[in-house]
Amino acid sequence: FIKNAISQFRHSKLYRHYKAHLMSEIGINCCQYHSNIKSGEEEEMATIEMHHHILTIFDIAFIITEHVINSGGCITTFDLIKMLGIEHTEHRVATVMLCKTCHQLQHHDPSFFLPTNMVFGNWVEFLQRYQRGVSRDIYYKILHTLKKELTMYDPSEKRALQLLSIANTLEDWSAKNAYFFVESG
């Protein structure tokens, strides 16, 4: 169900135009890791690709689906595609523009790391909106990223405290959702 909805969403006009919107209207037209590598110039230096960071598009679709179901609702493929579109256009999905090489590194090299402050999109707001969809697995995945990023800061720095607060909130949501699942299952 989720893979089918994602496939249809990726082939939609909205998704195809979303990257162009970020690059031309928002101005994110360079690699976020190597800012000197740009796209949209007379001679394009490199291919710039959009990467869903922190959460994959599958994770995003899973969270939305779980939230709707855990809230007592039903969801169709059409509903999920529409909700994915809304979350992207409202900029609540964490994306990063990367050159092709960095995008490949992100997927294949565990030592390649992009901190959350490099992303575009209010991913925390997305999680707040769909908190009933935050499973233990999703929590641990995000926690892994946050722990890596926390090593970049002094524990008393504002950004470190923000990341710890996010981790604690996600842990609470995932525990409530796990309890809900056991109780209703």
Side-chain angles (χ1 to χ4, degrees), residues 37-179:
I37 300 176
K38 298 181 189 246
S39 179
E41 298 182 0
E42 286 183 25
E43 285 190 38
E44 198 168 284
M45 297 174 86
T47 301
I48 303 295
E49 300 177 343
M50 184 174 71
H51 171 68
H52 287 87
H53 189 52
I54 306 163
L55 298 169
T56 66
I57 194 165
F58 185 90
D59 296 330
I60 294 161
F62 174 83
I63 290 168
I64 292 170
T65 302
E66 286 294 301
H67 176 83
V68 170
I69 292 169
N70 290 341
S71 299
C74 297
I75 188 166
T76 66
T77 301
F78 178 77
D79 296 331
L80 182 54
I81 293 167
K82 183 177 178 182
M83 292 169 89
L84 285 168
I86 290 168
E87 294 311 311
H88 278 78
T89 57
E90 293 295 322
H91 306 300
R92 289 187 286 259
V93 173
T95 57
V96 179
M97 294 301 195
L98 297 171
C99 63
K100 189 171 188 167
T101 301
C102 286
H103 198 189
Q104 290 171 341
L105 283 170
Q106 177 63 33
H107 284 287
H108 301 292
D109 183 354
S111 65
F112 186 83
F113 179 69
L114 295 167
T116 59
N117 61 359
M118 290 179 86
V119 304
F120 176 79
N122 194 340
W123 60 276
V124 175
E125 185 180 337
F126 169 80
L127 292 169
Q128 288 169 337
R129 288 177 58 90
Y130 297 98
Q131 59 186 268
R132 286 191 161 192
V134 178
S135 67
R136 291 304 261 182
D137 288 341
I138 295 291
Y139 160 67
Y140 287 125
K141 181 177 189 172
I142 297 170
L143 183 64
H144 177 75
T145 300
L146 297 180
K147 280 183 174 181
K148 276 185 171 180
E149 188 168 344
L150 278 167
T151 63
M152 299 168 54
Y153 301 100
D154 181 278
S156 63
E157 281 186 62
K158 183 179 178 181
R159 183 64 181 157
L161 297 173
Q162 289 172 333
L163 294 172
L164 288 170
S165 176
I166 292 167
N168 290 335
T169 300
L170 292 174
E171 182 179 28
D172 290 345
W173 293 343
S174 69
K176 286 178 189 171
N177 293 337
Y179 177 77

